[in-house]
Amino acid sequence: MKTGIQLSDHFTYRKLLRFTGPSIIMMVFTSVYGVVDGFFVSNYAGKTAFAAINLIMPFIMILGGMGFMIGTGGTALVSLVLGQNDRAKANRYFSMMIYLSVIMGIVLSVLGFVFMRPVAGLLGATPEMMEDCVLYGRITIGFITAFMLQNVFQSFLIAAERPKLGLAATVAAGLTNMVLDALFVGVFRWGTAGAALATGVSQCVGGVLPLLYFIRPNTSRLRLSRTKLEIRPLLQACANGSSELMSNISASVVSMIYNFQLLKYLGENGVSAYGVLMYVQFIFVAIYIGYAVGAAPVISFHYGAENETELKNMFRKSMCLVGSASVVLTVLAFVLASPLARIFVGYDEELFVLTRHAFHLFAFSFLLAGFNIFTSSLFTALNNGAVSAAISFMRTLIFQTASVLILPILFGVDGIWWAVTAAEVFACLLSTGFLVAKREKYRYL
């Protein structure tokens, strides 16, 4: 499963795309889970069940985001140690992170199951939506350990120089989800329960296969081994990865606020339209996140090795690639607005028109999202969790919350669809300020 590319290499554009390509595809396939669930539930169970899934999903993503925190923060630390040529310590830290993920997953599963109904009520579930919210939430939360492991291994497999293994596991999981959704929802008509079960089984595929690889003897840089609890590196990794957790939590909280506003202004149709926008955003943003996740271990390695030349090379090339992708994805969002809205909600003409209109306004957010995501990831890779967390926190929570609460007062419902773009503009100014302020310390410019 070797890629032939090592963290210590000099990266051309072609080599960088080859190395980060698997992680991009991994993130896209991970995002497909919710999209496929939504497609089948919307078309076979109706818009009430579809709205129910979109309402409870942010809570589930908050819990699963713990895996992103451990994965990104832990990978930055482990890659830094590998750059310092201490493989034994790297394996010890790696093993500690994996065991922590399993323990946290079990605890969160129990808590999530117990509190699912009151959480659904707090999120504003109507009586018609409540049972679907609780059923979908409790089934998916039972698989949260596997979901967390999948998120953790997406980062660690890159540090282990096995991105293709991560790609294979994620593609297998994605295909499993698609097939089981078609079977459980489309054929058996199990509705939200079938969609949740399909997602859970596919997450087991994505989380357990890499676990088996690292348990067995392998030729990668990392392997699971005996370890002990070391508080200082554990806190360092979690603090460093807190930006990714904060981004995940903030995005979920903001989704809840969006749903509150949309229920107020448009009712169920607004929540359903927003759900379609979120599915497209999941996939498009997954491209940015996948690149950032793939490039981060390389940046961490060269920072640990004090290779200033390669650090600058990675920064320049990354900015060019992210900028080009931003233009392409924004144009695609405009072009695909009508066909994607038709696929998900074409059975309801009023909902279709609303979704298409929202798409056209929402699309501008993709112009700046990639820059902001990469900048936050860059500081995580440089083991500066504080700056990374500040960018993520302001971008995904403060700026978006303010925008979605204030803009509708000024522009009506359209203000809700413009809110993400407004938040990305302010986040871009903040990200640029940090890049300029920290350029002398880290020498990426």
Side-chain angles (χ1 to χ4, degrees):
M1 298 293 292
K2 279 197 173 186
T3 63
I5 302 175
Q6 297 181 333
L7 298 178
S8 56
D9 288 353
H10 168 72
F11 280 80
T12 61
Y13 280 110
R14 181 178 180 183
K15 184 176 288 189
L16 186 54
L17 288 173
R18 283 177 57 204
F19 191 76
T20 59
S23 66
I24 294 172
I25 299 172
M26 283 163 59
M27 290 303 301
V28 169
F29 263 86
T30 301
S31 302
V32 164
Y33 294 152
V35 176
V36 174
D37 282 358
F39 169 77
F40 280 99
V41 170
S42 179
N43 284 278
Y44 289 95
K47 65 182 182 181
T48 298
F50 182 47
I53 287 181
N54 292 322
L55 196 70
I56 201 64
M57 184 62 73
F59 175 64
I60 298 168
M61 294 306 294
I62 286 176
L63 301 185
M66 296 292 182
F68 283 115
M69 175 187 71
I70 297 170
T72 55
T75 298
L77 177 61
V78 169
S79 297
L80 180 70
V81 174
L82 287 173
Q84 295 167 346
N85 203 29
D86 192 340
R87 186 169 177 177
K89 182 189 287 187
N91 277 318
R92 195 168 70 245
Y93 288 172
F94 165 67
S95 301
M96 180 173 61
M97 302 299 169
I98 300 303
Y99 300 148
L100 173 66
S101 299
V102 174
I103 294 170
M104 287 183 64
I106 294 172
V107 173
L108 291 174
S109 291
V110 174
L111 293 175
F113 186 90
V114 171
F115 292 104
M116 191 59 65
R117 186 174 294 275
V119 166
L122 287 172
L123 294 179
T126 63
E128 295 79 12
M129 296 162 60
M130 178 60 76
E131 294 308 316
D132 280 324
C133 283
V134 174
L135 184 60
Y136 183 86
R138 282 181 169 170
I139 293 174
T140 51
I141 214 72
F143 295 93
I144 201 71
T145 302
F147 184 36
M148 286 180 60
L149 284 175
Q150 183 174 359
N151 292 337
V152 169
F153 284 127
Q154 283 178 344
S155 296
F156 275 121
L157 280 165
I158 299 165
E161 297 177 349
R162 294 296 183 274
K164 287 187 177 179
L165 175 60
L167 173 60
T170 305
V171 169
L175 293 176
T176 300
N177 188 50
M178 293 177 193
V179 172
L180 292 183
D181 261 325
L183 183 64
F184 294 164
V185 184
V187 178
F188 296 162
R189 301 301 175 98
W190 290 351
T192 52
L197 188 59
T199 294
V201 173
S202 65
Q203 287 168 348
C204 288
V205 173
V208 174
L209 287 181
L211 180 64
L212 294 176
Y213 173 79
F214 284 113
I215 288 175
R216 296 170 57 85
N218 65 78
T219 58
S220 76
R221 284 179 173 265
L222 299 174
R223 183 186 173 188
L224 280 172
S225 60
R226 294 176 65 89
T227 187
K228 61 181 180 179
L229 180 63
E230 298 182 58
I231 299 298
R232 186 173 180 179
L234 180 61
L235 291 178
Q236 180 183 348
C238 289
N240 194 32
S242 63
S243 58
E244 277 64 32
L245 175 62
M246 180 55 65
S247 179
N248 196 279
I249 291 176
S250 298
S252 297
V253 170
V254 168
S255 292
M256 296 174 192
I257 297 172
Y258 267 91
N259 286 331
F260 276 123
Q261 288 285 76
L262 289 165
L263 283 170
K264 173 184 175 182
Y265 282 88
L266 295 168
E268 260 183 32
N269 275 1
V271 177
S272 295
Y274 180 65
V276 178
L277 299 186
M278 287 302 95
Y279 291 151
V280 176
Q281 187 186 49
F282 289 160
I283 295 175
F284 280 20
V285 169
I287 295 173
Y288 298 136
I289 296 175
Y291 177 82
V293 168
V298 182
I299 293 171
S300 296
F301 182 93
H302 289 292
Y303 176 60
E306 300 182 356
N307 188 345
E308 184 179 313
T309 300
E310 192 58 31
L311 201 58
K312 291 180 177 178
N313 174 59
M314 285 292 298
F315 180 80
R316 287 194 301 268
K317 287 182 169 58
S318 293
M319 284 298 177
C320 288
L321 290 172
V322 169
S324 300
S326 298
V327 174
V328 171
L329 292 179
T330 302
V331 173
L332 273 178
F334 275 99
V335 173
L336 296 177
S338 289
L340 288 176
R342 183 72 67 185
I343 288 172
F344 281 94
V345 294
Y347 55 82
D348 187 314
E349 186 61 26
E350 180 185 356
L351 183 53
F352 164 74
V353 172
L354 171 64
T355 304
R356 182 181 60 187
H357 173 70
F359 240 123
H360 287 147
L361 302 184
F362 192 85
F364 288 101
S365 65
F366 298 118
L367 274 175
L368 297 175
F371 172 77
N372 295 324
I373 289 169
F374 175 76
T375 302
S376 177
S377 176
L378 170 70
F379 285 107
T380 297
L382 295 171
N383 281 261
N384 190 330
V387 170
S388 181
I391 294 172
S392 293
F393 179 75
M394 296 299 292
R395 170 181 171 261
T396 56
L397 183 60
I398 301 301
F399 293 147
Q400 283 206 48
T401 298
S403 297
V404 78
L405 291 176
I406 295 172
L407 292 185
I409 298 174
L410 302 175
F411 304 107
V413 175
D414 280 356
I416 299 177
W417 310 127
W418 278 114
V420 176
T421 302
E424 296 292 0
V425 170
F426 288 115
C428 179
L429 296 175
L430 181 65
S431 297
T432 302
F434 276 122
L435 285 174
V436 173
K438 298 294 182 179
R439 67 189 188 283
E440 293 297 327
K441 178 178 180 179
Y442 295 110
R443 302 288 183 178
Y444 42 70
L445 285 176

